[in-house]
Amino acid sequence: MPPLTGRRSGQPGRVSGGARSRTAGGRPAVMADVARLAGVSAQTVSRVLNDHPYVAEETRARVVAAMLELGYRRNLTARALVTRRTDTIGVIAFDTGLYGPASTLFSLEQAARERGYHVHVATVPDLSEEGFVDAVERLRGHLVSGLVVLAPQRGAVRAMAGFPGDLPAVAVEGGAAPGLTSVVVDQVGGAVQATRHLLDLGHRRIAHVAGREDWIEADARLQGWQQAMADAGLPAGPVLPGDWSARSGHEAGLALLAAGVPVTGVFVANDHMALGLVRALAEAGVDVPGDVSVVGFDDIAEAGYLRPPLTTVRQDFAEVGRRCVDRLLHLVEGPDGSPPEDALVVPATLVVRASTASPAGEPPRP
Amino acid sequence: MPPLTGRRSGQPGRVSGGARSRTAGGRPAVMADVARLAGVSAQTVSRVLNDHPYVAEETRARVVAAMLELGYRRNLTARALVTRRTDTIGVIAFDTGLYGPASTLFSLEQAARERGYHVHVATVPDLSEEGFVDAVERLRGHLVSGLVVLAPQRGAVRAMAGFPGDLPAVAVEGGAAPGLTSVVVDQVGGAVQATRHLLDLGHRRIAHVAGREDWIEADARLQGWQQAMADAGLPAGPVLPGDWSARSGHEAGLALLAAGVPVTGVFVANDHMALGLVRALAEAGVDVPGDVSVVGFDDIAEAGYLRPPLTTVRQDFAEVGRRCVDRLLHLVEGPDGSPPEDALVVPATLVVRASTASPAGEPPRP
DNA sequence: GGCGTGTGTGTTTGCGTTCACAGTGATCTC
DNA sequence: GAGATCACTGTGAACGCAAACACACACGCC
């Protein structure tokens, strides 16, 4: 039993004398130290740590006391080596300061922690397949139990096509990637609600400002808008390009004004763009909601305090994070026969504020 | 050398025949497999992996080829066990969806990756010392090389007082915690700039809406405002409480109006509150910047598209993340005699937009 | 009284990697 | 030509932990 035989310990002499805190020599205590102090075998210490049955209460107490006295901390890398698992979830995120991914990440960590898991993060600098592969490799090296991918771009889904099948993974807004289960917010449903809200107010000519190209959410929101318009038997108005930024919303507003299209309502794919759009309209003397109604998407923290307070669609990112963990751990721990039902959908809810009203001279539909 | 002696491998027979990809039995390849295929010892494989000198070019090539053929991936937990390090940075974050911490986290990961480090995240549910200790313990268990603490509350600093001295750590906005180096944005300087900007425009009665109690940034911004007012020989106007939210800014606006204090300028501790304040003023028919000038702090993405476009102070979170990693790795890798100069300050810059103007009838100061 | 079962503990072994050390030839030095 | 140095490679022993196995003892049962 070499640990304290001196050759390696920096301090000479009186080794097994009085192990006050830590171990003589300052080396962090290991199981053998605890075992020695408690007068049991290392295996018994392990049993105490892992809550195995069949450890006498008296023994357990002695071991716990020894651990406390030595300030023992179990070495998770050693444990991982032998158990071949780290109880760690790997999160792959596209490098971004956007509100959604960040919130999801935090709630995800919280949910993971509650279930005894840790979170290891890897961001990808761009959407190349290479970047993803690299991120996956790094996380695999750490023996993560599973992966959560927070990269809601189609490019990301494409890059994930070559995903290793042996590692459980959940994608957030992952679209319909084959073999990859996903947790998504009901983007289409949210967009339908937003558009219907405008329709119900009596609007007939409704434009859409789209989100960044290649983003799955942008597609879904566009689709929801189209669907709602079609359901109402109305032609879908103009679609203006955007990139999620307030700046692009502003530009869309200017383009809308320049085109002279007689719209009375606009469904904008996110709040930041909605805000830019409202500003462009205001600059041109167009009142919101007096002349044009605007609906956003996201329900950013300040949405209620914009001018006017923004009608928008709320996404529950905290719920997304929790569900991701649920889903992933189900895959990880569950009987492997678990069916990966295609996607878990978190509902989106319309939040009506003051940026929408009935168009002039037109009463709301019953 | 047991790895392929059959007893454990699922597949019977013909083991060392043709290891096409992975190893027979599907078990991931380990060093010994690579070594066998390349006709060298495991030690040589290790040397190739770690770029040791003194490996013949021809040998290296053979090893690399074998690794490729077997799809070998080095097991970082095993490596960590023996080297006693994981090249991982632990990040402790207060559970929040706020813009600053999230941006910092992402840029931090990027900087870490560039330097060959990984990032492990632990959030704390509240500011209790217990929560911090728990987070630190979990990260230590993973043998992180160092810690970055993203918790800019005084409570956090207090909780960190009992920080283990043997683990290098860097605090973001960590105030003056003893023995803990920190990276901070020049909050005071930013606040001074913001206030001076108002003073230069000719404002004399300037109020302040404070940030959330217990936050270091809130204190610093308050202090900067006081300092600038004092330097100008003016009495500091009223201070209104806030909690960073747009809602609290709105309330502050109402309170200001109710109090009937004749201020012409307001320095608000963050943009979200500034936006709420502007809204409250607008509702009361007070024009910004016509009647009152407003300066925020943060430069959120949409600041330029608010009504009016917000004059504010920008914080470079990406830079903060990079500096954190620099600093931490200096501590981790550097000669341990490295002096921990107290705090590394990242400058803040004033961004002048349209929410500020000279007060009515008063020309700007030269 | 022998057998099974349940409870509690120790011994041995191996997880996959790196470190310390010990070689091997070859080339160089005086 | 004996030794020293260089370039390269292999051997054994850890690292700290948990699984497999073995063992010891107590109790109940027929």
Side-chain angles (χ1 to χ4, degrees), chain A residues 96-192:
Chain A
T96 171
L98 286 177
Y99 178 61
S103 314
T104 307
L105 174 61
F106 281 116
S107 74
L108 204 145
E109 200 279 341
Q110 203 165 340
R113 170 157 37 88
E114 278 163 15
R115 307 202 32 185
Y117 278 73
H118 295 231
V119 169
H120 208 96
V121 179
T123 64
V124 291
D126 54 53
L127 289 180
S128 67
E129 181 158 0
E130 196 187 343
F132 270 90
V133 169
D134 181 55
V136 173
E137 285 302 299
R138 288 187 301 139
L139 292 174
R140 278 183 94 105
H142 274 288
L143 301 188
V144 297
S145 304
L147 247 37
V148 173
V149 182
L150 300 181
Q153 300 91 342
R154 272 204 309 271
V157 176
R158 240 177 283 128
M160 273 151 42
F163 232 62
D166 56 333
L167 193 59
V170 171
V172 174
E173 302 298 342
L180 194 68
T181 70
S182 57
V183 174
V184 303
V185 171
D186 184 10
Q187 309 286 347
V188 174
V192 166

Side-chain angles (χ1 to χ4, degrees), chain A residues 73 109 113 123 137 302, chain B residues 73 109 113 123 137 302:
Chain A
R73 180 169 26 240
E109 200 279 341
R113 170 157 37 88
T123 64
E137 285 302 299
E302 63 270 33
Chain B
R73 181 168 23 239
E109 199 280 339
R113 170 156 37 86
T123 64
E137 284 303 297
E302 64 269 33

Side-chain angles (χ1 to χ4, degrees), chain B residues 247-333:
Chain B
R247 158 183 279 280
S248 73
H250 188 257
E251 282 164 7
L254 297 179
L256 200 59
L257 291 164
V261 192
V263 305
T264 63
V266 185
F267 167 51
V268 188
N270 82 341
D271 288 351
H272 282 174
M273 294 195 296
L275 171 164
L277 178 94
V278 168
R279 169 153 184 78
L281 296 180
E283 283 166 353
V286 176
D287 183 57
V288 176
D291 303 315
V292 174
S293 285
V294 174
V295 183
F297 210 109
D298 274 355
D299 196 28
I300 54 177
E302 64 269 33
Y305 294 88
L306 299 174
R307 298 164 64 188
L310 196 63
T311 294
T312 184
V313 179
R314 167 176 296 160
Q315 309 193 65
D316 188 347
F317 294 116
E319 182 65 16
V320 171
R322 283 191 294 272
R323 298 280 185 102
C324 274
V325 173
D326 277 358
R327 195 86 189 239
L328 186 61
L329 295 191
H330 180 71
L331 249 48
V332 169
E333 299 173 343

Side-chain angles (χ1 to χ4, degrees), chain B residues 7-298:
Chain B
R7 213 187 60 215
R8 297 180 57 97
S9 76
Q11 307 289 61
R14 49 175 31 245
V15 165
S16 59
R20 201 86 68 231
S21 126
R22 305 293 154 114
T23 309
R27 175 177 54 68
V30 299
M31 266 196 181
D33 301 320
V34 176
R36 199 172 310 112
L37 182 58
V40 298
S41 73
Q43 179 56 37
T44 297
V45 177
S46 171
R47 277 193 267 256
V48 169
L49 278 170
N50 296 297
D51 282 327
H52 271 278
Y54 302 157
V55 177
E57 200 43 59
E58 197 269 339
T59 308
R60 180 187 307 274
R62 237 175 36 241
V63 170
V64 169
M67 294 198 295
L68 251 44
E69 178 169 357
L70 295 175
Y72 171 75
R73 181 168 23 239
R74 142 209 261 171
N75 182 325
L76 291 180
T77 64
R79 177 187 163 85
L81 179 60
V82 56
T83 60
R84 294 149 181 284
R85 49 190 304 222
T86 52
D87 291 348
T88 294
I89 293 175
V91 176
I92 297 184
F94 180 59
D95 171 39
T96 170
L98 287 178
Y99 177 61
S103 311
T104 307
L105 174 61
F106 281 116
S107 75
L108 204 144
E109 199 280 339
Q110 203 165 340
R113 170 156 37 86
E114 278 163 15
R115 309 202 32 184
Y117 279 73
H118 296 230
V119 169
H120 208 97
V121 179
T123 64
V124 291
D126 52 55
L127 289 179
S128 68
E129 181 158 1
E130 197 187 343
F132 270 88
V133 169
D134 182 56
V136 173
E137 284 303 297
R138 290 187 299 140
L139 293 174
R140 278 185 93 106
H142 274 289
L143 301 188
V144 296
S145 304
L147 247 39
V148 174
V149 182
L150 298 181
Q153 298 90 344
R154 270 204 309 270
V157 175
R158 240 177 284 129
M160 274 152 40
F163 233 60
D166 55 333
L167 193 58
V170 171
V172 174
E173 302 298 342
L180 194 68
T181 70
S182 56
V183 174
V184 304
V185 172
D186 184 11
Q187 308 287 346
V188 174
V192 166
Q193 280 184 71
T195 310
R196 269 210 195 124
H197 169 60
L198 290 170
L199 290 168
D200 288 348
L201 286 170
H203 295 272
R204 291 294 170 268
R205 292 180 303 274
I206 303 173
H208 177 59
V209 180
R212 184 129 157 204
E213 208 173 344
D214 196 44
W215 282 59
I216 291 165
E217 283 133 314
D219 287 355
R221 293 173 198 173
L222 171 65
Q223 188 192 324
W225 166 75
Q226 286 170 330
Q227 182 181 317
M229 294 302 282
D231 285 355
L234 293 169
V239 175
L240 299 140
D243 66 2
W244 301 132
S245 74
R247 158 183 279 280
S248 73
H250 188 257
E251 282 164 7
L254 297 179
L256 200 59
L257 291 164
V261 192
V263 305
T264 63
V266 185
F267 167 51
V268 188
N270 82 341
D271 288 351
H272 282 174
M273 294 195 296
L275 171 164
L277 178 94
V278 168
R279 169 153 184 78
L281 296 180
E283 283 166 353
V286 176
D287 183 57
V288 176
D291 303 315
V292 174
S293 285
V294 174
V295 183
F297 210 109
D298 274 355

Side-chain angles (χ1 to χ4, degrees), chain A residues 176-223:
Chain A
L180 194 68
T181 70
S182 57
V183 174
V184 303
V185 171
D186 184 10
Q187 309 286 347
V188 174
V192 166
Q193 281 184 70
T195 311
R196 268 212 194 119
H197 169 62
L198 291 171
L199 290 168
D200 288 349
L201 286 169
H203 295 273
R204 290 295 169 268
R205 293 180 305 275
I206 303 174
H208 178 59
V209 179
R212 184 127 157 206
E213 208 173 345
D214 195 45
W215 281 59
I216 292 164
E217 284 133 314
D219 287 355
R221 293 173 198 174
L222 171 65
Q223 187 192 326

